[in-house]
Amino acid sequence: MEKGLEQIGGLPCVGGSFVCDNRGDVIVSSDPAVLATVTMSTIGREVGLAFLALESASRPATRIDFVYDSWRLLAQDMGDAVFFVVCQPNVDMAIVRMTVDVVIAGWRKDSAAQKRLQQRRTERASLASPAALDQGSWSSWVTFASGIQAPGG
Amino acid sequence: MSDALTGSLSQLPLVDLLKMLAAGGQSGHLGLSSGLDHGDLFLLKGDLVHAECDIHLGEPAFARLVAWPSGQFRFEPQVPPPARTIDKPLERLLAESARAASEREAIRKVVPNMEVVPRLVRKAPGSSVTIEAQDWEMLALLNGQSTAAELARERKADELDFARALYRLKLLGLVELAAPQVAVPAQRPLAGPGFFTLLTTAVAGALGPLAEIIVDDAVEELGFTRATFPRDAVAALAERISGEIREPEKRVRFQQTMLQLLGSQRQQAA
């Protein structure tokens, strides 16, 4: 998997990349200079839940592009994990997205990469529980989920 | 209202119109308009007694109105003036305005417009230079980049006064006036026909014989033609076409080909 991150890291205006499992734990990282591991974990957990929320709301997404003034973060959903790429604002995102696709396709054929991903496999849906979420997030989730189950209600 | 006299200043200049009304000992309101600008003059028994133009009143307003090269006028007799802001005889006002017009013309020949960029000449025009204190302050403003209009605004000066000072400094040989630097947009390097040959081959490998059409459609959707397609949009084009490829294997192979092509382009550019 590290080779894939190297490929991404070689692109212009890319500062690094990392992959988090659905709990937010970092599986592999190129150690992007701007992010501490704990920050990567927080991002990984929250973005994983965002993908779950979008899917639950029947608006599934496979990519989220966070654009800030001084940096940009691409989150690519892999199902069992989320692949993050840290970029500069002026990055050619089309190149990054295509490279991410190629790297993920390579990991799908790579048994070692698959093993690492499977070991950390967690169903996202199981994370939407009072044990995994803080009280505020759980309350929000319950409200959100009840809205989904009772359309028009 | 039916007594109103109307016409065009280009056919009957304001100076001639005023002379005519004064000679007839007329009283009334002379309304002037030129585009969005308006002005008002009032005569009383042949004397000009009041002028308004924008925020200006009296002689400054008259000086502005008399400089209008074109516009429309409407004279309504017997309309009383709202105030008296002018005491000078009309003949004197017209003589002063004629002098001002000559001065403006002389300035215009040296300072053609306020978009010029004034800057200090590199070489002194003589062994000694004498300038007025007010002109020294202006010299201190010159940075070789700001236009005369920008400098006048910065100094909160009337543009005509500023142009007059520039005129003096130009005649003294202390400043030169350059045309403003117009930023020419950098031309974007083009992808070129060679790129499209490689792209079409790659698309044909993934999508078959409709490759030419698919490429042309994608190019058009991005707002270009093959002849105008910029190199910095090549990745966006490749990504758009890759979205058309349904088979994952073929899509990834196409993406790999395009990324290699883009990588070699980057190396060439570097």
Side-chain angles (χ1 to χ4, degrees), chain A residues 56-97:
Chain A
S56 304
S58 303
R59 299 242 188 281
T62 55
R63 260 182 205 138
I64 302 178
D65 186 3
F66 298 91
V67 181
Y68 304 95
D69 284 346
S70 57
W71 66 304
R72 197 164 168 176
L73 180 72
L74 176 70
Q76 172 72 52
D77 188 17
M78 295 167 57
D80 295 334
V82 181
F83 189 2
F84 294 94
V85 185
V86 182
C87 310
Q88 292 167 19
N90 57 338
V91 70
D92 188 336
M93 200 47 100
I95 293 181
V96 176
R97 287 189 293 256

Side-chain angles (χ1 to χ4, degrees), chain A residues 119-130:
Chain A
Q119 281 171 349
R120 312 287 283 274
R121 189 168 184 279
T122 312
E123 283 290 340
R124 269 190 199 133
S126 70
L127 297 173
S129 68

Side-chain angles (χ1 to χ4, degrees), chain A residues 7 10-12 63 92-102 105-106 109, chain B residues 232-239 242 249 251-252 254-256 258-259 262 266:
Chain A
Q7 192 177 340
L11 297 176
R63 260 182 205 138
D92 188 336
M93 200 47 100
I95 293 181
V96 176
R97 287 189 293 256
M98 284 197 293
T99 309
V100 164
D101 285 348
V102 168
K109 288 182 180 171
Chain B
D232 58 22
V234 158
L237 176 64
E239 188 189 29
S242 77
E249 287 272 333
R251 184 170 62 242
V252 169
F254 172 78
Q255 288 175 328
Q256 281 172 324
M258 295 316 299
L259 288 168
L262 290 165
R266 274 201 307 277

Side-chain angles (χ1 to χ4, degrees), chain B residues 93-104:
Chain B
L93 283 172
L94 291 176
E96 285 176 1
S97 69
R99 269 198 302 279
S102 307
E103 186 195 19
R104 274 198 303 276

Side-chain angles (χ1 to χ4, degrees), chain A:
Chain A
M1 292 182 86
E2 282 76 2
K3 272 188 115 177
L5 300 195
E6 275 175 33
Q7 192 177 340
I8 294 281
L11 297 176
C13 303
V14 168
S17 57
F18 57 99
V19 178
C20 290
D21 66 16
N22 285 334
R23 289 181 181 277
D25 289 331
V26 178
I27 299 173
V28 61
S29 162
S30 70
D31 289 327
V34 294
L35 296 176
T37 303
V38 65
T39 312
M40 288 189 260
S41 293
T42 306
I43 291 171
R45 188 175 62 249
E46 297 303 324
V47 172
L49 286 170
F51 279 124
L52 174 63
L54 287 166
E55 191 181 340
S56 304
S58 303
R59 299 242 188 281
T62 55
R63 260 182 205 138
I64 302 178
D65 186 3
F66 298 91
V67 181
Y68 304 95
D69 284 346
S70 57
W71 66 304
R72 197 164 168 176
L73 180 72
L74 176 70
Q76 172 72 52
D77 188 17
M78 295 167 57
D80 295 334
V82 181
F83 189 2
F84 294 94
V85 185
V86 182
C87 310
Q88 292 167 19
N90 57 338
V91 70
D92 188 336
M93 200 47 100
I95 293 181
V96 176
R97 287 189 293 256
M98 284 197 293
T99 309
V100 164
D101 285 348
V102 168
V103 168
I104 291 175
W107 286 341
R108 289 210 175 98
K109 288 182 180 171
D110 178 354
S111 56
Q114 283 302 305
K115 198 174 170 187
R116 283 171 81 174
L117 288 168
Q118 287 299 318
Q119 281 171 349
R120 312 287 283 274
R121 189 168 184 279
T122 312
E123 283 290 340
R124 269 190 199 133
S126 70
L127 297 173
S129 68
L133 297 174
D134 61 66
Q135 197 178 351
S137 299
W138 175 244
S139 302
S140 301
W141 179 261
V142 170
T143 307
F144 175 70
S146 63
I148 295 164
Q149 284 158 8

Side-chain angles (χ1 to χ4, degrees), chain B residues 13-167:
Chain B
L14 182 58
V15 172
D16 295 339
L17 176 62
L18 284 171
K19 281 179 180 170
M20 188 183 82
L21 294 171
Q26 294 284 338
S27 297
H29 169 231
L30 179 61
L32 304 168
S33 63
S34 178
L36 295 174
D37 295 323
H38 294 273
D40 300 285
L41 296 171
F42 287 86
L43 290 109
L44 191 61
K45 296 179 182 172
D47 288 329
L48 182 65
V49 293
H50 179 61
E52 284 185 41
C53 178
D54 296 329
I55 57 168
H56 304 284
L57 293 172
E59 289 180 38
F62 176 74
R64 278 170 170 75
L65 293 172
V66 83
W68 284 9
S70 61
Q72 302 295 315
F73 69 82
R74 178 186 179 85
F75 180 70
E76 289 179 61
Q78 305 309 325
V79 178
R84 187 169 190 117
T85 54
I86 292 176
D87 291 315
K88 276 186 191 167
L90 181 61
E91 296 80 24
R92 202 169 140 199
L93 283 172
L94 291 176
E96 285 176 1
S97 69
R99 269 198 302 279
S102 307
E103 186 195 19
R104 274 198 303 276
E105 183 56 23
I107 291 172
R108 195 188 60 78
K109 283 181 181 165
V110 176
V111 185
N113 58 61
M114 292 299 278
E115 293 310 308
V116 293
V117 177
R119 56 186 178 216
L120 273 176
V121 294
R122 288 181 180 275
K123 201 172 171 186
S127 54
S128 67
V129 175
T130 305
I131 59 170
E132 295 175 28
Q134 57 180 351
D135 292 345
W136 175 261
E137 287 169 16
M138 200 177 114
L139 283 176
L141 279 179
L142 305 187
N143 57 18
Q145 292 179 339
S146 303
T147 64
E150 288 166 345
L151 293 169
R153 277 197 296 276
E154 187 181 327
R155 208 182 171 196
K156 295 187 173 65
D158 180 86
E159 284 202 356
L160 181 59
D161 291 340
F162 200 85
R164 195 178 281 125
L166 270 183
Y167 169 81

